[in-house]
Amino acid sequence: MTELGRILTEDELADALEDCDAIIIEFDPLTKKVLDQAKNLKVIASVRGGAHANVDVDAVTKRGIPIFNVPGRNQDTVADFTIGMMIAVSRGISKGNLLIKNRVITDDKTYVENGFCVTDVNWVGSTPEKFAYLQYKGPTLAGKTMGLVGFGAIGRETAKRALAFDMKVLAYDPFVKQEDISADIRLVELEELMAESDFVSIHLPVNDGTRGIVSAEILGKMKPTAYLINTARAAVMDYDKLIEMLQKDELAGAALDVYPVEPLPNNHPLLELDNVVLTPHIGGCSMDPYDRSYDKLFTELSLFLDGGMPEKVYNPEFANY
């Protein structure tokens, strides 16, 4: 037996699966080596939108084993988080929180500016113009333009939320047609999206077509007043260029949940910037996706074990073997 709360090694997983007919899996390495020892395995339930991250799908398929998965399991969770990151970075919520918790208070004077009295809020400097109230005047979302790089399930949920804030929404996705989406959302080329958007949010998977697509050249087209949010994957974007732009105030700010190296090293330049909000790859985490995922997988496994088959499986080619 192995303890709970960590990813199993290949050998540990192979031993655990020796007599199993089915497995529910999320992170553990279901490799060909493991499969070769799991002689009785008949079905795999992956608690992920895409099983390729930890399952050798080709080997599984050639064994004639179906994979059930949960596409779009956390689309609303990530969309909520994206909007939260957008507001946090543009309205100084994260910086304001740190300001109070770090007790950055210089004195307790009372100032009256244009008829407005400010008392005991001199948390960033000794003159009225440096008050937090005056310094953290970020943009109101209504009327601003949000650009979504990628318009799959998460991008569409994010668009719905942006529209509810009375934002204009642009989207880039070469696999989507304008006639298939809401007229409130305008499909454009990536260069136009970057140049016109006040907020750019990344919602792309990593594959051969997307790796590095948000290049230095593409980033350079953004407005200096714009913000960038990435809750997707680091490999789709040039982080060196992004950091350079943030250091030179060529962008208003960025909110990042994913990084080229995780966790970030102690000397990483992002840690020195005060125009970024950083979170530890938690955009897809909430209780609801897991409840929905296990409900769906339980239903599909029950159907399979009773001799049926769900309408959709992750690897439909399994039936050819």
Side-chain angles (χ1 to χ4, degrees):
M1 290 291 291
T2 57
E3 70 270 21
L4 298 177
R6 67 175 177 85
I7 296 173
L8 301 182
T9 66
E10 284 183 298
D11 290 338
E12 289 170 339
L13 186 58
D15 290 342
L17 289 179
E18 187 174 0
D19 298 317
C20 290
D21 297 298
I23 181 175
I24 298 174
I25 193 166
E26 185 171 8
F27 297 114
D28 305 278
L30 192 50
T31 62
K32 186 178 183 302
K33 175 182 176 181
V34 174
L35 288 166
D36 287 343
Q37 297 184 62
K39 303 297 185 182
N40 295 334
L41 193 62
K42 299 177 180 64
V43 63
I44 296 165
S46 173
V47 194
R48 303 188 73 136
H52 279 85
N54 65 307
V55 175
D56 187 332
V57 174
D58 185 59
V60 169
T61 302
K62 289 177 179 177
R63 283 270 303 269
I65 299 174
I67 302 172
F68 307 153
N69 69 314
V70 281
R73 71 186 179 106
N74 60 3
Q75 59 197 41
D76 50 355
T77 295
V78 179
D80 290 348
F81 192 85
T82 298
I83 297 297
M85 291 282 271
M86 179 173 68
I87 298 173
V89 68
S90 64
R91 294 295 303 277
I93 292 176
S94 179
K95 287 196 291 186
N97 175 63
L98 290 173
L99 193 69
I100 293 175
K101 289 191 172 183
N102 290 336
R103 308 303 298 160
V104 185
I105 301 172
T106 57
D107 58 43
D108 60 357
K109 296 178 182 177
T110 297
Y111 292 91
V112 177
E113 285 288 309
N114 298 321
F116 181 77
C117 182
V118 185
T119 305
D120 295 338
V121 293
N122 187 17
W123 293 345
V124 288
S126 58
T127 56
E129 63 270 16
K130 293 186 178 180
F131 284 155
Y133 183 84
L134 300 176
Q135 190 175 13
Y136 295 162
K137 285 189 177 295
T140 299
L141 299 186
K144 299 300 186 296
T145 298
M146 185 169 200
L148 302 170
V149 183
F151 203 63
I154 296 173
R156 293 176 192 228
E157 287 294 327
T158 305
K160 285 164 50 177
R161 289 154 175 76
L163 290 171
F165 279 98
D166 290 329
M167 299 183 77
K168 302 172 186 176
V169 178
L170 304 178
Y172 165 77
D173 195 315
F175 301 102
V176 176
K177 296 179 180 179
Q178 184 68 62
E179 56 266 28
D180 295 333
I181 64 174
S182 168
D184 294 325
I185 300 160
R186 184 163 61 94
L187 283 175
V188 296
E189 294 300 319
L190 183 55
E191 292 82 357
E192 181 179 352
L193 181 147
M194 302 297 282
E196 292 190 12
S197 298
D198 300 297
F199 296 88
V200 172
S201 188
I202 311 298
H203 299 287
L204 294 171
V206 178
N207 54 47
D208 291 340
T210 63
R211 195 178 303 275
I213 190 173
V214 186
S215 63
E217 180 182 0
I218 290 294
L219 284 168
K221 296 184 181 298
M222 292 181 68
K223 301 176 184 179
T225 55
Y227 297 84
L228 185 138
I229 301 98
N230 189 3
T231 56
R233 290 291 182 266
V236 303
M237 188 170 68
D238 187 327
Y239 268 65
D240 290 337
K241 177 62 174 179
L242 174 67
I243 292 168
E244 178 186 331
M245 293 174 69
L246 291 166
Q247 290 171 334
K248 295 180 178 179
D249 291 325
E250 294 173 353
L251 273 183
L256 306 170
D257 189 48
V258 291
Y259 312 93
V261 177
E262 297 183 7
L264 282 176
N266 290 336
N267 61 347
H268 198 280
L270 281 172
L271 300 175
E272 304 298 321
L273 297 171
D274 64 1
N275 54 351
V276 297
V277 171
L278 308 175
T279 52
H281 205 147
I282 56 174
C285 299
S286 76
M287 297 304 297
D288 301 292
Y290 285 93
D291 292 341
R292 290 196 299 267
S293 295
Y294 285 112
D295 286 345
K296 177 179 184 293
L297 293 174
F298 177 79
T299 299
E300 293 182 344
L301 283 172
S302 296
L303 175 64
F304 177 82
L305 295 174
D306 286 340
M309 182 65 67
E311 183 178 346
K312 292 184 178 181
V313 298
Y314 186 73
N315 59 334
E317 299 83 4
F318 86 94
N320 298 330
Y321 293 88

